[in-house]
Structures are given as structure tokens and as C-alpha cells.
Amino acid sequence: MNSGEDSYSGNAWLKEHLDGTDAHLWRRARKMFLFRQNLSSALNLFNFDYRAIENISKPEGTVLSGSRDTALGSRPEGEFRPGQLWTDDAKNSIRTLLDRIVTRWIPKHLHLRRINYERLHKSLTPVPLSFVQKTYDHTNNNIEKFNVENALTAYQECLVPLHYHELWSEIANDFKDVDVALNQRTTDINFQEFYNKQTLDGEKDSALIFGTNRVIFADRYNALSRSIGFFDLVLIKMNNKTYFGMIVHAEQTKVKVASREECSNNNYASNTNSNELQFDLQTTIGIYVSRECSDVIQQYRKGNKDKKIPITKLSNITSSRRMISAIHNIHEWPQYRSLLKPMIEDLYFQLPQDYGPANIIPEYGFNKSQSEAIAIAEYMFDDLQEHLHMVHGPPGTGKSRTIAGIVLKLLSKLPESGRKQKILLCAPSNNACDELCRRILDEFHKQDFPYSRGTLVRIGCQPPDDYRLCKHFLDFMILQDIVNVLKTEQKPSPKIAQETESHILKHAKIVISTLNYCGSARLQPLKATTGFVIIDEACQSLEADLLLPLRFKCTKIMLVGDPLQLPPCVLSDAGKMYGLSQSLYARLHSNFEEYPNGPITMLDTQYRMHPDICRFPSEYFYTHRLLTDASVARRMRDFPLKPLYVYNMTQSLQSSDDASSSFNESEAKYIRAFCESLISCLAAPVNQVSSDSEDNDDNDDDEDAYDENIEIKCLRPIPINDARSIDIQKRIAIITPYKAQVRLLRSYLPPYIEIMTADGSQGKEKDIVIVSCVRSGGTIGFLDDMHRVNVMLTRPKNGLYVVGNLTQLANQNECWKAFVDHARVKNIISDEVMLPPELPYR
């Protein structure tokens, strides 16, 4: 079972079925699903014969029927090669990564609070670091003389070392994880088999070591309770020295149903009930280590033959391994040359030949720019020539609904069988994937579009939080279908879970997955059957992550995002210094934004922000091109306050916590008082404001006259736990660049006000947003980034209130200067900020 798979213990949809009238059938189905594939292995990377360890992977006892089913590739002579199906190890990229981690990376570096990236680099890889932007700029601009092989080598040698640094930073963060202490991640292994190996470059000695672990497992309807799994990085401490090890083989076998006596004496079975499935579970583990580590373990076992050795799970490298593999496999994608050297002359980046915007007639409530994006996708799908197109979707412009419109338009064109019969939708996060799923289902309803169960499938390792999306989640669909078979009282196939999954994916028309999960073997059926790929929030994904859907060989691709908002998060100093945060979307956008007929369509009408809030972002970030739909002002006609106001606190004091994160207590106290007044003001029944912003629905009611007595009515204090107060709290968000300020504000404010960092607020919206700038004195830190400023200023719908030392910000940053100048011209700034706060009444 893959690491992280099946983690849905708290899911309401599943719990409802496990507690329902067919509970016993659901538990049987779950058992079949849990053990549908018990073997995960990368032994083929080492040319290792699986038969050599069969003796230790056959536990004593009664092996339960069907519990050892595996899907192994094999050579003609019958040698087992586990893992053959999941990986195409181009240029031995994965094996090289494993070699370096276990023989060259230095565990003691984890204890350092900070390490210079140049010093760290010497242990990570011998390939020198290079700047991402310069790597692209130095390639030949003459398309005829462009050397694609040289460009490919430069591309890989630039990105892969930076991803090594990024992986190290992730490992270091996991090592310091305070939520799960290291002693809670330890498993005892009885090592029995040792095989000497060498690294691929022949410079270091390594080894494969195999052992077993046997526990009582009680299923509590969450992930299989185990401390270690496939591609986990582990720490092995022997003789006061710590070594890295990599799990490259994990096989689990149910031996027998455990007795109640065994369960009562085992940690895995505590607090169980009679309805839970309980197994005596044996796990065979294969670990790749340095030769020194293997020798030390063997020496220890000579004097302690039956004593188990503890290993500690540190991190899992699956995500990084997929991205590094994708970088090395990019040449297998038919249009890879176009990505290495994007040029406007390339037919791949030109509009479809038959496309003409003059003939587009908007329908189903889509505006003109949205309809253009939908039409371009339709012409791309029909065109014999392959194309890539970008949709630029600023905040509130309805990009999610536009994607849903594209999907429905293409769905009617998909063939019933054969090649190119699926649409793949991807996004960097599970939340973004769930939002796409939600929007498509909504659009089915709005357009009265007929669809059946299985048309849309959401695949991944984390089920949706939204109850209504769960019936489209692949794992739950498999369970439901198994239950339906069990109801017939027919004897199910031993491989019913695998067969059911294959059937569902074969007939699915719309598949939704995170970008990284596209590297999973489960999505192998999408190869050669995917006719169109849409990637949402493409600007928030690392370039290597965006390469993963290309493994399905589809070359008709639409990227959707906003390069003027925050780029993907990068953890490592080397990644930040050398430009790893540049997304593929941003790179292509910078090449083509100057061409009026280039491969970029901008959604130009927003439905979120009041026109007064939108005006500055439109002028400064979007060159006056971001328009506000007329329905927005009508929707907010009863809002009693000015939509935008700035509180310039020049005398506030900034401090830092132990983690060097900044906070500002004066701002926090002012915001607390501001929120108290704000809640009292908005609690009046007259202030009813719609929360919909992306549905493009007009409200044609006549505007009511503004009640001049509203101020008097709203000044009555409202208790925090009053229902009216809670409703208002849920409409308010506080955004600040610093985690320390988030913690401080949470201690000051009512519980239902959402408080988040600027980076965490991307993609979200609230009726009212208060920005806490924090910085006062010294430099302005995170606030020097215009992408971050853009995100903070474009989250609100009705009201935006900025609190901070705006004078300092304006003196150090052109964007903030322009914002303050805008506020002074509009007379919406106060330089005398004191308690109690004055609300900016209209």
C-alpha cells in the first residue's frame, strides 16, 4: 500500500455507510480494498531477484485467502521484478537519488539550526547549481540553430540539483516536526538478509538489508497502522552513529484473525470494538543503506541474534521522487522541445486555425472573455494540430466556472471508446481539485446536462471534505461497487478491488487529480486515452510538478492561473536564490505576454470585489484591464461602510518571537477593537449582503435609499456568542504576512473570525478583509513582494481595511507608495489612528 493512502477515518460519508444497515458488507468490502495490493517494491532498480527473500516473506501461520495477491512484472525466465510497472527510471534518476541519500547525505546536518546552502550542496550532489532564468535565457534564440539535446541537458542539470535541496529542506522540516516526535515514529525490525551492492557511479559501497515486523492490526477505518512504508526515509542509529536508510520494498501479509487476548495486549488493538477487523499482520521490509550501516547491523546481530533493531521514520520522498523522475522523462513527451524553447513562431503556441472570436456568442451566463476561452478549447480539441493555451484568470473572474464550461463543451465531443476519450483536470492541491469537482457538478445542474455515475471521477489519497463529492471519489466508488456485488451473494473474485478500479477508470470521462498524484501507478490507464488536459492554479505549482501529467502523452493542454499572484512555495535557500519558484506558466507567460495574438486569453471581468476595492489592483497590477461587472455594486448596495479604508499607524512597535517571526501588538489591539465595532455595526438586520461572487448572477432590484440612522442602530454592543455576532464573525478575515501575528490575533479575536497568513489566503475570499501589515521600523520584509500585496488586496468582496505603518511601506516600496497615493487621492486614509477606532461610514 502506498504511503498516505486510504487516510479517511473521519470522513462523514464513509462513517455513515459503515454504521448503516449494510455495515457488515461495507466492512467486508473494506477488507478486500485494504489488501488489494500488498506489495510495493523498487527492487528492479537494483537488478535484485525477488526470489532471494521469499523465505522471510512467508510467515509462519495460516495465510488468509487472497491476502498475498500481487501484480509483479516478470522476465521470460520467471524472475520476479517487483516495481517494474510503476517507474521509468530515465537516466537512472531515482537510483542515483537513492545512492546519494544513503551514502553521501549527512544525518548530523539535521541537527543544525541553519546551514549555508553552498556547504550543504557539497554533500547533496556534485552537479553545480545554476540560475533557472539564465538557463533559459542562454539558449539559442534562432529556432533553426537551436540544439535541443544541449537544451535538455542544461534543463535537467539546472532543475534536478535544486530539487535535491528542496527535498533536504522537507526532510529537515519533518525531522523537527513537533507534532509527531521521533520516538513516536519508531518500529522494531528483525533483520535477517544482507546483500552487498555498489552505487551506480562505483564510488561508494552500499547494501540491501531485509527484515520483518509482526504486529496485531486493528482496523479503525483510517490508514493501515504502520510506522513505515514505501519510499520512507528512515534513521538507523547504531554505536552512537546515525545512518540514512530508504525503504525500497514493503510487503504486508495477513496471517490470521487475531484473538481478543492478543488484541488486548497489543497497542494496535486498544479501544477496539467487535465490529472492527483485526489481523495478525507481517511486514517484510527492504532497506537500502550504506555498506557501513549494513556491516554494523550484521556485527551487532552476531551477539544479539534475536534482538530487533529500531528504525525511525523521518520523511517520505515520493513527491520529490516523482518530480525528479518527470524532469528526466520530459523527452518522452512529444512536444518537449516547445517547452525547452518557447517561441511565438512555434505552431504549438498559436491559436487553432479555424478559431475566430467574431463568431462567439456567449451562452449559459458566461461573459465574452469566458466564452472566448471556452471556444478556444473547443477549437483546440477539434484541430489536428496540437496546441497549448493559457488562460489568465485574475481574482474573482470566474476561472473555475470557465473551466467547468470547457469541460461540458468538450464532454459531448468525446468518443465512447478508443483513444482520446478522457479529459484530465489537475491542480496543485486537494482543495483546488475539490473546487473543480464542485464547479463541474454545479455546471451540470445549471445547463441541465445529462450525466451518469462514473462520468466524473475524483482520484487521490485524500477524500473530499464536501459530503456530496464523496460519491465521485474513486476509493469510495470501489467500495460501493464491491458492496453491490456482495449483496448478490455471489462469490467475489479474489481481485475484485483491482478489477473494479480498472472498470471505473476505463469508463470515466472526466478524471480529477492533483498534479503530483499523476505520478501514481493508479493513473497508468490514462496513458494514450487522455484527449485534453486542463491544469488549474498552474502558477502555484513548481515546473517539475506540472510535468507529471505529461506522462499521459496528451499534447492538447490548457493552463489556467494568474502569474501576478504568489508563485509556488519554495523551502530551500538554494531554491529561493536560484529561482526554483518560477512556474512553467510564469515562464511561458513572460515569453508571450507582449504578443496581442499570442497563446494567452485574459478573463477581464471580475465578480468578487466592490468597484472601489478593485480599482487599485486593476490599475497597478492588471494595467487597467480588470473590469467589474455591474452586478457587484448592486449586490453590495446595503453595505454601510466605505468599501476601502486605510489606517496609517506610524507609532506602532514591531517585535519578533523566538522563531524570528514578526508581530505588532499595537496593531493587534486596534484590530480587536475595530472588529468589535464592526460586528456591532453589521449585526443590524438591514445589512444583508450576498456571498456569491463567481456565479455571474445579476440582481436587478432597485437600489434602496441609504438609512442615515444606521450608525446609531449599529453601535449597540453584541455578545461574542450571540448568533448574530457569530454570523458576522464568519464573514470577516484577517490577513497578515507573519505567523507570529496570526498567533497573537487568535488570542485577541472571537473564534469565528478567520485569521491567516498572506500566503495561506491565496485562492480564498471573504466579505470583509482586514490587513495587518505588522512591519514598523527597519525593513518591510515579506511586504516588499508585489505578488503578496496583490493577494492581500484582492481577497475581499465588500470591505477592505488596511492597518499598518503605511508611511514606512510607501517609503520603501513603489507598490505601497502607489497604494497610499491612491488612498490619499480618494480621501480614504486616516493618519490619526487611536482607540476607540472610527468605522469608515459612507
Side-chain angles (χ1 to χ4, degrees), residues 499-732:
E499 292 167 354
T500 302
E501 178 170 321
S502 177
H503 177 82
I504 291 172
L505 286 178
K506 179 180 179 181
H507 291 88
K509 296 296 184 182
I510 307 163
V511 178
I512 303 177
S513 166
T514 62
L515 287 164
N516 200 267
Y517 203 76
C518 285
S520 169
R522 297 183 77 187
L523 272 73
Q524 185 72 13
L526 271 64
K527 227 170 190 177
T529 64
T530 303
F532 204 91
V533 176
I534 303 172
I535 300 176
D536 191 18
E537 296 188 357
C539 296
Q540 295 179 43
S541 67
L542 294 172
E543 176 153 341
D545 226 4
L546 201 141
L547 299 181
L548 283 161
L550 306 187
R551 68 185 284 242
F552 306 124
K553 302 299 194 301
C554 179
T555 49
K556 294 184 176 181
I557 296 176
M558 184 164 273
L559 306 180
V560 184
D562 184 359
L564 300 179
Q565 301 225 350
L566 282 168
C569 176
V570 169
L571 299 175
S572 64
D573 290 340
K576 295 172 184 175
M577 176 70 69
Y578 285 84
L580 185 62
S581 64
Q582 179 181 247
S583 66
L584 177 61
Y585 186 111
R587 178 161 71 85
L588 296 177
H589 188 275
S590 65
N591 276 271
F592 299 127
E593 61 180 332
E594 63 185 78
Y595 299 101
N597 295 318
I600 303 172
T601 297
M602 177 176 168
L603 305 182
D604 59 11
T605 304
Q606 67 91 18
Y607 299 85
R608 174 188 298 169
M609 298 170 277
H610 188 282
D612 291 354
I613 300 173
C614 181
R615 189 168 290 112
F616 176 76
S618 177
E619 293 173 358
Y620 192 85
F621 301 113
Y622 299 102
T623 61
H624 298 270
R625 292 188 297 159
L626 183 57
L627 310 175
T628 299
D629 188 75
S631 64
V632 177
R634 291 197 294 271
R635 192 175 71 233
M636 302 175 185
R637 66 189 183 278
D638 290 329
F639 193 66
L641 305 178
K642 293 179 180 179
L644 174 62
Y645 205 81
V646 179
Y647 296 88
N648 187 17
M649 297 184 66
T650 56
Q651 303 301 315
S652 63
L653 296 176
Q654 167 197 333
S655 305
S656 297
D657 64 7
D658 294 339
S660 300
S661 181
S662 299
F663 65 92
N664 190 314
E665 194 163 2
S666 297
E667 279 187 23
K669 289 179 178 178
Y670 188 84
I671 289 171
R672 175 175 59 187
F674 185 90
C675 287
E676 290 172 355
S677 299
L678 181 64
I679 291 169
S680 296
C681 171
L682 297 181
V686 69
N687 299 314
Q688 301 294 329
V689 182
S690 170
S691 293
D692 296 330
S693 64
E694 280 202 8
D695 289 339
N696 305 11
D697 293 332
D698 288 353
N699 187 334
D700 294 323
D701 295 343
D702 294 334
E703 293 194 31
D704 297 334
Y706 181 70
D707 187 349
E708 295 182 357
N709 295 319
I710 193 71
E711 182 173 347
I712 297 173
K713 293 179 182 178
C714 293
L715 289 179
R716 298 171 184 172
I718 303 293
I720 288 176
N721 58 356
D722 185 283
R724 293 172 298 166
S725 174
I726 292 173
D727 287 342
I728 301 300
Q729 291 175 44
K730 291 178 179 179
R731 294 170 54 194
I732 302 171

Side-chain angles (χ1 to χ4, degrees), residues 798-817:
N798 306 337
L800 171 64
Y801 307 108
V802 182
V803 180
N805 189 341
L806 277 301
T807 298
Q808 176 184 329
L809 298 179
N811 288 337
Q812 296 189 34
N813 180 275
E814 287 298 320
C815 177
W816 283 108
K817 182 180 184 303

Side-chain angles (χ1 to χ4, degrees), residues 371-398:
S371 299
E372 287 176 0
I374 294 170
I376 289 171
E378 182 181 12
Y379 280 98
M380 284 172 61
F381 186 84
D382 292 336
D383 201 345
L384 294 176
Q385 169 67 40
E386 309 298 329
H387 295 282
L388 182 148
H389 195 80
M390 292 178 284
V391 175
H392 182 185
T397 53

